[in-house]
Amino acid sequence: MTELAAAALVQRGITQLTGRSDSPRRDAEVLLQAACGIDRTALAKNPEQPVDAAGADTYFGFLDRRYDHEPVACILGRKEFWSLELELNASTLVPRAETELLVETALESIPRGTAVEIADLGTGSGAIALALAAERPLARITATDLNPDALLQARDNASRLGLAIHFEEGDWFTPLEGRRFDVIISNPPYVRDNDPLLQTGPALFEPPLALFGGQDGLACVRTLCTSVKDHLNPGGFVALEHGHDQQDAVKAMLSDVGLESIVGLKDLAGRPRVTTARMPR
Ligand SMILES: C[S@@+](CC[C@H](N)C(=O)[O-])C[C@H]1O[C@@H](n2cnc3c(N)ncnc32)[C@H](O)[C@@H]1O
């Protein structure tokens, strides 16, 4: 194959992805950079620079996967979260921008310079735990997951980023038997098993264990709420992410187990996505 100009490759990508992606130009540019090492600055400076056949082939393969709705983060095996570059594997959820609300909310409850004990349950790539570790270096953070392959990736991210997290494998609070924390945070799976949105689109490329929360989507939240009081210190804080139509149910569960100061928060799009509560003192 003859060498093709970088700008022509981007244009071809935009044409292929239009109608399949909300951001065809950005996707094409990011995939070209991953395949051939030509970033946006280099592209703007020299749009006619040639791309060799091997690089172009890799790029075309990436475009086909994106055309089939695979998220860019899954194709690249990495995603930025809270300004941290996280590597992903087949067992980790792609961290979502919405989850940064959970991190922001937890940070408001953790004064700087204090050695608080934090637990992140269902850590996946380690996104939440690592963001908290970056912002609160004195905190002692334990992160858990049921999936050992997700934990492998989270450990790898922690060591690459030089952030100290203690990892435990197991079912929700089981590996934390007898331990109490000042802050418990979780983004559990909360999608309904039969959600039609999941039959197509990006969710097909993500691990089911990270997505599905039973018939009403609330099975994992329910398990977490049932035991959370056994693991919070007096005055301790819990923050849970949930579906936009689940906040009333999550508030009721937290209230039923005797937590107080229950607050529902909305994400930037105005959807109710996080609920917090405190352990009585
Ligand atoms: C929605 S993902 C969240 C991942 C990550 N915390 C984030 O926000 O990007 C839910 C995580 O919970 C984990 N998980 C599912 N069931 C679990 C269980 N019974 N016990 C512990 N973790 C579980 C999944 O493996 C997945 O990593």
Side-chain angles (χ1 to χ4, degrees), residues 93 95 99 120 122-125 127-128 145-147 150 170-172 187-189 209-210 220:
L93 184 88
T99 303
D120 168 27
T123 197
S125 62
I128 296 168
D145 208 286
L146 185 62
N147 188 328
D171 187 14
W172 298 127
N187 172 20
L209 185 67
C220 300

mmCIF file of all heavy atoms in Angstrom, residues 93 95 99 120 122-125 127-128 145-147 150 170-172 187-189 209-210 220, ligand 1:
data_model
loop_
_atom_site.group_PDB
_atom_site.id
_atom_site.type_symbol
_atom_site.label_atom_id
_atom_site.label_comp_id
_atom_site.label_asym_id
_atom_site.label_seq_id
_atom_site.Cartn_x
_atom_site.Cartn_y
_atom_site.Cartn_z
ATOM 1 N N LEU A 93 -14.338 -1.541 34.331
ATOM 2 C CA LEU A 93 -15.244 -0.564 33.720
ATOM 3 C C LEU A 93 -14.422 0.630 33.240
ATOM 4 O O LEU A 93 -13.449 1.012 33.887
ATOM 5 C CB LEU A 93 -16.239 -0.087 34.782
ATOM 6 C CG LEU A 93 -17.326 0.864 34.297
ATOM 7 C CD1 LEU A 93 -18.521 0.056 33.800
ATOM 8 C CD2 LEU A 93 -17.787 1.811 35.391
ATOM 9 N N PRO A 95 -13.826 4.200 33.473
ATOM 10 C CA PRO A 95 -14.308 5.187 34.450
ATOM 11 C C PRO A 95 -15.083 6.303 33.751
ATOM 12 O O PRO A 95 -14.687 6.768 32.692
ATOM 13 C CB PRO A 95 -13.024 5.749 35.082
ATOM 14 C CG PRO A 95 -11.935 4.850 34.657
ATOM 15 C CD PRO A 95 -12.373 4.100 33.450
ATOM 16 N N THR A 99 -18.593 9.904 37.607
ATOM 17 C CA THR A 99 -18.055 9.384 38.867
ATOM 18 C C THR A 99 -17.139 10.415 39.537
ATOM 19 O O THR A 99 -16.868 10.330 40.735
ATOM 20 C CB THR A 99 -17.350 8.039 38.592
ATOM 21 O OG1 THR A 99 -18.312 7.169 37.995
ATOM 22 C CG2 THR A 99 -16.821 7.382 39.837
ATOM 23 N N ASP A 120 -12.912 2.043 49.336
ATOM 24 C CA ASP A 120 -13.565 2.156 48.016
ATOM 25 C C ASP A 120 -13.980 0.736 47.620
ATOM 26 O O ASP A 120 -13.120 -0.109 47.355
ATOM 27 C CB ASP A 120 -12.583 2.759 47.002
ATOM 28 C CG ASP A 120 -13.080 2.639 45.561
ATOM 29 O OD1 ASP A 120 -14.303 2.584 45.343
ATOM 30 O OD2 ASP A 120 -12.228 2.607 44.643
ATOM 31 N N GLY A 122 -15.624 -2.076 45.220
ATOM 32 C CA GLY A 122 -15.846 -2.275 43.781
ATOM 33 C C GLY A 122 -14.965 -1.305 43.021
ATOM 34 O O GLY A 122 -15.432 -0.515 42.206
ATOM 35 N N THR A 123 -13.669 -1.398 43.235
ATOM 36 C CA THR A 123 -12.757 -0.348 42.755
ATOM 37 C C THR A 123 -12.491 -0.412 41.253
ATOM 38 O O THR A 123 -12.086 0.584 40.658
ATOM 39 C CB THR A 123 -11.438 -0.396 43.566
ATOM 40 O OG1 THR A 123 -10.737 0.824 43.394
ATOM 41 C CG2 THR A 123 -10.543 -1.576 43.143
ATOM 42 N N GLY A 124 -12.690 -1.560 40.615
ATOM 43 C CA GLY A 124 -12.458 -1.656 39.163
ATOM 44 C C GLY A 124 -11.023 -1.306 38.819
ATOM 45 O O GLY A 124 -10.065 -1.910 39.319
ATOM 46 N N SER A 125 -10.847 -0.286 37.979
ATOM 47 C CA SER A 125 -9.500 0.157 37.582
ATOM 48 C C SER A 125 -8.767 0.859 38.723
ATOM 49 O O SER A 125 -7.597 1.214 38.580
ATOM 50 C CB SER A 125 -9.617 1.142 36.414
ATOM 51 O OG SER A 125 -10.361 2.277 36.848
ATOM 52 N N ALA A 127 -10.060 3.726 39.912
ATOM 53 C CA ALA A 127 -10.276 5.140 39.602
ATOM 54 C C ALA A 127 -10.536 6.011 40.850
ATOM 55 O O ALA A 127 -9.830 7.001 41.080
ATOM 56 C CB ALA A 127 -11.442 5.271 38.617
ATOM 57 N N ILE A 128 -11.524 5.617 41.641
ATOM 58 C CA ILE A 128 -11.929 6.468 42.772
ATOM 59 C C ILE A 128 -10.835 6.476 43.836
ATOM 60 O O ILE A 128 -10.416 7.538 44.323
ATOM 61 C CB ILE A 128 -13.254 5.947 43.372
ATOM 62 C CG1 ILE A 128 -14.374 6.066 42.333
ATOM 63 C CG2 ILE A 128 -13.607 6.683 44.642
ATOM 64 C CD1 ILE A 128 -15.652 5.328 42.708
ATOM 65 N N ASP A 145 -12.426 -5.443 45.329
ATOM 66 C CA ASP A 145 -13.236 -5.858 44.179
ATOM 67 C C ASP A 145 -13.408 -7.378 44.244
ATOM 68 O O ASP A 145 -12.540 -8.083 44.780
ATOM 69 C CB ASP A 145 -12.590 -5.459 42.851
ATOM 70 C CG ASP A 145 -13.638 -5.242 41.745
ATOM 71 O OD1 ASP A 145 -14.196 -6.238 41.247
ATOM 72 O OD2 ASP A 145 -13.908 -4.066 41.398
ATOM 73 N N LEU A 146 -14.501 -7.847 43.674
ATOM 74 C CA LEU A 146 -14.723 -9.289 43.599
ATOM 75 C C LEU A 146 -13.891 -9.899 42.479
ATOM 76 O O LEU A 146 -13.558 -11.083 42.511
ATOM 77 C CB LEU A 146 -16.223 -9.539 43.324
ATOM 78 C CG LEU A 146 -16.708 -10.976 43.312
ATOM 79 C CD1 LEU A 146 -16.500 -11.633 44.678
ATOM 80 C CD2 LEU A 146 -18.201 -11.037 42.945
ATOM 81 N N ASN A 147 -13.561 -9.087 41.490
ATOM 82 C CA ASN A 147 -12.904 -9.595 40.287
ATOM 83 C C ASN A 147 -11.372 -9.485 40.413
ATOM 84 O O ASN A 147 -10.827 -8.381 40.410
ATOM 85 C CB ASN A 147 -13.400 -8.777 39.084
ATOM 86 C CG ASN A 147 -12.927 -9.365 37.775
ATOM 87 O OD1 ASN A 147 -11.848 -9.950 37.713
ATOM 88 N ND2 ASN A 147 -13.725 -9.194 36.745
ATOM 89 N N ALA A 150 -9.656 -7.396 37.689
ATOM 90 C CA ALA A 150 -9.794 -5.945 37.858
ATOM 91 C C ALA A 150 -8.772 -5.470 38.896
ATOM 92 O O ALA A 150 -8.089 -4.453 38.705
ATOM 93 C CB ALA A 150 -11.214 -5.595 38.297
ATOM 94 N N GLY A 170 -12.707 -9.634 47.257
ATOM 95 C CA GLY A 170 -13.839 -10.292 47.897
ATOM 96 C C GLY A 170 -15.151 -9.588 47.647
ATOM 97 O O GLY A 170 -15.207 -8.519 47.034
ATOM 98 N N ASP A 171 -16.205 -10.225 48.168
ATOM 99 C CA ASP A 171 -17.575 -9.790 47.954
ATOM 100 C C ASP A 171 -17.900 -8.637 48.916
ATOM 101 O O ASP A 171 -17.929 -8.836 50.135
ATOM 102 C CB ASP A 171 -18.468 -11.018 48.215
ATOM 103 C CG ASP A 171 -19.919 -10.776 47.876
ATOM 104 O OD1 ASP A 171 -20.230 -9.783 47.208
ATOM 105 O OD2 ASP A 171 -20.749 -11.598 48.310
ATOM 106 N N TRP A 172 -18.135 -7.474 48.376
ATOM 107 C CA TRP A 172 -18.452 -6.257 49.135
ATOM 108 C C TRP A 172 -17.707 -6.165 50.479
ATOM 109 O O TRP A 172 -16.488 -6.097 50.476
ATOM 110 C CB TRP A 172 -19.977 -6.092 49.264
ATOM 111 C CG TRP A 172 -20.596 -5.945 47.885
ATOM 112 C CD1 TRP A 172 -21.616 -6.662 47.347
ATOM 113 C CD2 TRP A 172 -20.185 -5.043 46.828
ATOM 114 N NE1 TRP A 172 -21.864 -6.271 46.042
ATOM 115 C CE2 TRP A 172 -21.010 -5.282 45.699
ATOM 116 C CE3 TRP A 172 -19.209 -4.044 46.704
ATOM 117 C CZ2 TRP A 172 -20.896 -4.589 44.482
ATOM 118 C CZ3 TRP A 172 -19.088 -3.355 45.496
ATOM 119 C CH2 TRP A 172 -19.921 -3.629 44.423
ATOM 120 N N ASN A 187 -19.079 2.999 43.764
ATOM 121 C CA ASN A 187 -19.858 3.100 42.529
ATOM 122 C C ASN A 187 -20.172 1.657 42.126
ATOM 123 O O ASN A 187 -19.467 1.054 41.337
ATOM 124 C CB ASN A 187 -19.024 3.808 41.447
ATOM 125 C CG ASN A 187 -19.706 3.763 40.095
ATOM 126 O OD1 ASN A 187 -20.913 3.560 39.993
ATOM 127 N ND2 ASN A 187 -18.926 3.947 39.038
ATOM 128 N N PRO A 188 -21.230 1.094 42.727
ATOM 129 C CA PRO A 188 -21.512 -0.328 42.472
ATOM 130 C C PRO A 188 -22.213 -0.508 41.120
ATOM 131 O O PRO A 188 -22.686 0.466 40.532
ATOM 132 C CB PRO A 188 -22.470 -0.687 43.612
ATOM 133 C CG PRO A 188 -23.185 0.597 43.905
ATOM 134 C CD PRO A 188 -22.226 1.725 43.607
ATOM 135 N N PRO A 189 -22.320 -1.748 40.643
ATOM 136 C CA PRO A 189 -23.130 -1.985 39.439
ATOM 137 C C PRO A 189 -24.578 -1.641 39.776
ATOM 138 O O PRO A 189 -25.075 -2.070 40.815
ATOM 139 C CB PRO A 189 -22.989 -3.494 39.213
ATOM 140 C CG PRO A 189 -21.853 -3.938 40.070
ATOM 141 C CD PRO A 189 -21.762 -2.978 41.205
ATOM 142 N N LEU A 209 -20.095 -7.935 35.152
ATOM 143 C CA LEU A 209 -20.020 -7.850 36.624
ATOM 144 C C LEU A 209 -19.947 -6.393 37.103
ATOM 145 O O LEU A 209 -20.307 -6.084 38.232
ATOM 146 C CB LEU A 209 -18.784 -8.627 37.126
ATOM 147 C CG LEU A 209 -18.630 -8.738 38.641
ATOM 148 C CD1 LEU A 209 -19.732 -9.600 39.264
ATOM 149 C CD2 LEU A 209 -17.260 -9.317 39.014
ATOM 150 N N ALA A 210 -19.459 -5.514 36.245
ATOM 151 C CA ALA A 210 -19.334 -4.099 36.625
ATOM 152 C C ALA A 210 -20.606 -3.312 36.360
ATOM 153 O O ALA A 210 -20.729 -2.175 36.815
ATOM 154 C CB ALA A 210 -18.168 -3.462 35.864
ATOM 155 N N CYS A 220 -26.868 -4.625 44.495
ATOM 156 C CA CYS A 220 -25.570 -4.351 45.151
ATOM 157 C C CYS A 220 -25.704 -3.206 46.151
ATOM 158 O O CYS A 220 -25.129 -3.259 47.250
ATOM 159 C CB CYS A 220 -24.509 -4.023 44.097
ATOM 160 S SG CYS A 220 -24.245 -5.366 42.937
HETATM 161 C C1 LIG B 1 -19.661 0.204 38.251
HETATM 162 S S1 LIG B 1 -18.121 -0.637 38.446
HETATM 163 C C2 LIG B 1 -17.173 0.654 39.242
HETATM 164 C C3 LIG B 1 -15.693 0.579 38.979
HETATM 165 C C4 LIG B 1 -14.919 1.797 39.499
HETATM 166 N N1 LIG B 1 -15.107 1.973 40.923
HETATM 167 C C5 LIG B 1 -15.361 3.057 38.772
HETATM 168 O O1 LIG B 1 -16.082 3.856 39.376
HETATM 169 O O2 LIG B 1 -14.984 3.236 37.610
HETATM 170 C C6 LIG B 1 -18.500 -1.752 39.764
HETATM 171 C C7 LIG B 1 -17.355 -2.586 40.282
HETATM 172 O O3 LIG B 1 -17.882 -3.440 41.306
HETATM 173 C C8 LIG B 1 -17.265 -4.706 41.191
HETATM 174 N N2 LIG B 1 -18.151 -5.704 41.808
HETATM 175 C C9 LIG B 1 -19.247 -6.296 41.269
HETATM 176 N N3 LIG B 1 -19.800 -7.138 42.161
HETATM 177 C C10 LIG B 1 -19.036 -7.078 43.288
HETATM 178 C C11 LIG B 1 -19.114 -7.723 44.557
HETATM 179 N N4 LIG B 1 -20.074 -8.604 44.831
HETATM 180 N N5 LIG B 1 -18.177 -7.414 45.475
HETATM 181 C C12 LIG B 1 -17.188 -6.511 45.190
HETATM 182 N N6 LIG B 1 -17.077 -5.864 44.016
HETATM 183 C C13 LIG B 1 -17.987 -6.157 43.059
HETATM 184 C C14 LIG B 1 -17.075 -4.907 39.703
HETATM 185 O O4 LIG B 1 -16.078 -5.877 39.421
HETATM 186 C C15 LIG B 1 -16.703 -3.489 39.260
HETATM 187 O O5 LIG B 1 -15.310 -3.305 39.280
#
